Amino acid sequence: MFVYPSGVNVSSSALRFLAGRLREHRRTLGTRWRRLNAGRQALLAVAHLRNGQPCAQLAAGFGIGTTTAYRYIAEAVELLAALAPTLAETVRAASMKAYLILDGTLLPIDRIAADRPFYSGKRRKHGMNVQVIADPKGRLLWASPALAGAVHDVRAAREHGVIDALARAGINCWADKGYQGAGGTVRLPYRGRWDSLSAGQQAVNRSHAKVRALVEQAIATLKSWRLLRKLRCSTTRITRLVQAVLTLHLASST
């Protein structure tokens, strides 16, 4: 395998954050020596998450075995996932904001047609449903654990307790028509054909769409980590990967 210089477009603060957590973890374990120091292990994990490169390619570039690369990446992901904010922490931190924006996104996975639980009829592909909460400026605040792609957005929001948490905190939340019947403080556009709506309802829907569109920035932020654009791992690992990415994003934006 040929090795060539490459780069990764990630904030240095995110890399320093992960390297610091890895050093603390090694001190806790009493580790004396490893093939890569904490800084290089952090770079290995960040390159995997950001660029989506396979472990075999990264192992060649870092001069280690493929199994070692996989183990180092898995260790970093577990550390980051454990630091991801919970829904309760996110809602508490956002309690002073005027409102929040809720939406769901599908993370594509490589599954065959027989895997119906993972098939999203809305998006016509296999994947995992992840709920995203953004602030009024479209900044990513929270991403949910991953559910099978066949799960509808409103059901996913209920299962994660998003609707109840926002209602208890009294925070208004803007969402699209996929959350019909959500209740609580979730604000939805008027249903029906455009030409069947009154002028006032059309004006409300236009205003609602402008507000809700900002959540696409948060979803784009999540998917700027290329590993999440086409996941080829076990579905049981996807939640931890999403949480790891969320932790790195928040670490780099503070």
Side-chain angles (χ1 to χ4, degrees):
M1 184 178 294
F2 294 105
V3 177
Y4 63 93
S6 184
V8 55
N9 182 22
V10 175
S11 169
S12 58
S13 59
L15 190 63
R16 290 195 299 269
F17 174 83
L18 177 53
R21 303 293 82 74
L22 287 169
R23 291 189 188 97
E24 293 174 4
H25 181 64
R26 291 184 180 193
R27 283 195 293 267
T28 301
L29 295 178
T31 303
R32 293 186 177 182
W33 180 85
R34 288 194 183 187
R35 292 293 305 275
L36 299 180
N37 61 34
R40 295 285 287 172
Q41 182 182 356
L43 181 59
L44 171 72
V46 168
H48 176 67
L49 293 171
R50 188 67 169 186
N51 293 340
Q53 290 178 294
C55 290
Q57 293 180 5
L58 290 170
F62 281 81
I64 57 177
T66 302
T67 303
T68 301
Y70 179 87
R71 187 172 68 250
Y72 282 3
I73 291 170
E75 181 182 47
V77 167
E78 290 293 336
L79 284 175
L80 290 170
L83 297 171
T86 64
L87 176 61
E89 291 170 343
T90 301
V91 171
R92 187 164 54 249
S95 60
M96 299 304 293
K97 296 186 181 296
Y99 59 87
L100 296 176
I101 314 172
L102 173 66
D103 200 3
T105 187
L106 190 78
L107 302 182
I109 60 174
D110 57 343
R111 286 295 183 272
I112 60 175
D115 293 323
R116 300 301 297 178
F118 299 100
Y119 184 78
S120 170
K122 176 182 177 181
R123 299 174 178 88
R124 298 182 181 180
K125 63 176 68 174
H126 292 83
M128 301 295 286
N129 181 305
V130 172
Q131 298 294 297
V132 171
I133 293 178
D135 70 4
K137 294 184 178 180
R139 292 176 295 208
L140 176 64
L141 299 180
W142 180 77
S144 74
L147 296 177
V151 177
H152 295 288
D153 283 340
V154 66
R155 177 185 160 193
R158 286 185 177 131
E159 288 195 20
H160 297 310
V162 176
I163 297 169
D164 290 340
L166 294 173
R168 285 193 299 269
I171 302 176
N172 286 326
C173 173
W174 264 244
D176 63 19
K177 294 178 182 179
Y179 294 87
Q180 288 292 337
T185 56
V186 178
R187 299 291 179 260
L188 304 173
Y190 286 103
R191 296 184 67 183
R193 292 170 57 90
W194 183 257
D195 54 8
S196 68
L197 301 177
S198 67
Q201 290 173 332
Q202 290 178 357
V204 169
N205 279 10
R206 278 194 293 265
S207 176
H208 187 282
K210 288 179 181 179
V211 172
R212 200 194 62 78
L214 291 173
V215 75
E216 297 300 331
Q217 296 181 19
I219 293 174
T221 295
L222 191 65
K223 292 187 176 181
S224 66
W225 298 78
R226 294 185 183 88
L227 185 70
L228 301 183
R229 296 181 187 176
K230 184 65 173 181
L231 289 153
R232 294 177 172 84
C233 61
S234 168
T235 55
T236 60
R237 294 185 57 224
I238 294 176
T239 290
R240 292 192 294 275
L241 292 171
V242 171
Q243 291 172 335
V245 165
L246 176 63
T247 299
L248 282 175
H249 166 70
L250 295 176
S252 64
S253 59
T254 54

